[in-house]
Amino acid sequence: MPKPLFLTGVDFWFCQFKVRCFVLLCVVLFTQSSVSQLQVSDEEPVICQKLKPPKNKPEQLVDWLLKNGHRLKHEGCWKSHISLGTRGMEEAAKQSRFLDRARIALNLSSSYFCLGDYDSCRKLAEEASHYAREHKDWKEYITSLYLLSGVSRAQGRKEAVYYAEKGMEELQKHQPDDHYLKAKILYNLGGALSDLEEPDLDRARAAMMESHSLYHGLKNQYEIVRSGLRLARIDYLKGNYISALAVIQSVEVHLERPRSRMLYHYMMAKILHRMKKWGRARTEALESLAWADRLKAKVDEERTRTLLDAIDNKTFVKD
């Protein structure tokens, strides 16, 4: 603002001082307000605010999702992914791009899985499975079997092993050179075998070891962590806590994604809990809980609180 002509030098200095104080106060208040709003409304990692499709161009949404859907999922932007993906499926249908609709549905299915909405996960996986099989899109069909195995495992259904074995069978027929898909199916097979009421831990470990090895060969950091955590869990279930600890510590250098960090700290807490390292176990559980809260992962939050209660009471829960 231009200097008023009637002000004396002293008057002008005092006026400028007041203006600066007022501006500083506004900045402080605005900053506090912004931080407060961020704490209230930031339900997902900050990066999710940057991962947005082109504005006012719905015709580009399908291609954008096919390119960026996996990143939305891996960054923990599950709610954004579901919102955008639902619109993307509608847009794909309008454009008669039904195979792309099935692909988006498959990717969306896994975000529902991460949020613990297993019914929605299963519904989309089954829809995509029927379409892919009917149109002999074998890669998408095998992917749907992988997802159905995973959600069945999460829901405690025995067919989890069936879907994984069916996936391996179809893979050998139609996609024998797809090492990434093979690693994913082996991962679910190992997980399903270890989650049975009467688990086959030796067979589960063999499947998970092969999956883990394939991911290392592919240099896929995210999946190295996932398979490593599952391998550690199998050793944990076998009572080999030292081996489990060694496996989980080996994947720490590969941690990148928010969900990976949450699961890493949770598994570390479980192992230390069984080793009666109460203080360290509690620290790891609290770290996992913080990530679960940030990601709005309700299922993970509930089980971590249950583990925390057991740690605080120096008791054990059924695995």
Side-chain angles (χ1 to χ4, degrees):
M1 193 168 87
K3 172 181 174 181
L5 297 175
F6 63 88
L7 285 177
T8 64
V10 174
D11 291 334
F12 174 70
W13 177 87
F14 184 67
C15 180
Q16 290 289 86
F17 175 77
K18 290 193 291 181
V19 168
R20 288 173 183 172
C21 288
F22 176 75
V23 170
L24 179 61
L25 178 60
C26 288
V27 169
V28 171
L29 290 173
F30 176 79
T31 302
Q32 289 178 337
S33 175
S34 298
V35 171
S36 175
Q37 287 179 355
L38 182 63
Q39 290 171 342
V40 171
S41 63
D42 186 26
E43 296 185 352
E44 295 184 314
V46 175
I47 194 171
C48 303
Q49 299 170 15
K50 300 177 181 178
L51 292 171
K52 298 290 184 183
K55 289 184 178 179
N56 303 318
K57 294 183 179 179
E59 71 280 359
Q60 296 182 14
L61 181 58
V62 175
D63 290 323
W64 187 89
L65 282 166
L66 292 172
K67 182 179 178 181
N68 296 282
H70 287 287
R71 190 176 179 199
L72 281 168
K73 180 181 63 177
H74 289 162
E75 293 291 355
C77 309
W78 304 320
K79 289 187 176 180
S80 294
H81 188 204
I82 288 168
S83 175
L84 292 168
T86 302
R87 285 162 44 199
M89 288 174 63
E90 293 172 357
E91 186 62 33
K94 287 179 184 177
Q95 298 177 26
S96 299
R97 296 172 62 177
F98 300 110
L99 179 57
D100 287 335
R101 174 187 166 89
R103 287 171 176 161
I104 293 172
L106 285 173
N107 204 12
L108 208 58
S109 174
S110 60
S111 277
Y112 274 119
F113 181 92
C114 291
L115 284 172
D117 187 345
Y118 300 137
D119 289 336
S120 295
C121 171
R122 176 179 290 276
K123 181 180 178 181
L124 284 181
E126 287 176 341
E127 176 187 330
S129 180
H130 295 320
Y131 184 88
R133 185 178 184 183
E134 181 183 348
H135 291 82
K136 298 182 179 181
D137 189 308
W138 301 118
K139 184 171 182 176
E140 303 306 331
Y141 176 55
I142 295 165
T143 300
S144 72
L145 292 172
Y146 157 79
L147 284 166
L148 287 168
S149 173
V151 73
S152 296
R153 178 167 50 81
Q155 292 180 314
R157 298 190 183 192
K158 292 181 179 179
E159 64 261 34
V161 174
Y162 163 77
Y163 281 124
E165 291 177 334
K166 179 67 174 174
M168 285 298 295
E169 179 186 325
E170 295 297 327
L171 184 77
Q172 290 166 4
K173 284 182 186 176
H174 306 291
Q175 301 282 137
D177 297 325
D178 193 329
H179 297 303
Y180 179 67
L181 198 49
K182 181 179 181 181
K184 288 170 75 72
I185 296 169
L186 284 167
Y187 172 90
N188 263 357
L189 179 59
L193 289 167
S194 65
D195 288 347
L196 293 171
E197 287 186 17
E198 296 181 6
D200 187 341
L201 295 178
D202 289 334
R203 189 180 167 207
R205 194 176 197 281
M208 199 61 67
M209 278 288 291
E210 187 176 357
S211 174
H212 193 53
S213 177
L214 284 168
Y215 283 132
H216 269 287
L218 294 166
K219 297 181 180 180
N220 188 313
Q221 307 294 310
Y222 176 74
E223 299 293 357
I224 286 171
V225 173
R226 285 183 74 231
S227 56
L229 292 176
R230 264 286 167 173
L231 188 57
R233 173 172 166 75
I234 292 169
D235 282 340
Y236 165 88
L237 291 173
K238 288 169 71 72
N240 297 335
Y241 304 130
I242 300 299
S243 176
L245 198 60
V247 171
I248 196 172
Q249 287 173 334
S250 74
V251 304
E252 185 177 9
V253 295
H254 301 288
L255 291 176
E256 292 179 341
R257 309 296 187 183
R259 182 168 174 81
S260 296
R261 294 183 182 279
M262 176 187 72
L263 296 175
Y264 169 84
H265 290 293
Y266 176 76
M267 195 65 234
M268 183 69 83
K270 283 178 71 71
I271 296 168
L272 292 169
H273 173 218
R274 284 290 177 176
M275 296 174 75
K276 298 183 179 180
K277 306 289 185 181
W278 310 111
R280 289 174 60 195
R282 192 173 199 279
T283 298
E284 294 292 339
L286 286 172
E287 185 70 19
S288 179
L289 185 62
W291 282 105
D293 182 62
R294 175 187 172 189
L295 292 170
K296 303 299 177 185
K298 293 182 180 180
V299 173
D300 297 284
E301 182 180 344
E302 289 172 6
R303 70 176 183 176
T304 304
R305 289 191 184 280
T306 299
L307 177 60
L308 264 173
D309 288 340
I311 292 169
D312 288 341
N313 292 309
K314 295 185 177 181
T315 56
F316 297 101
V317 294
K318 182 179 179 181
D319 294 306

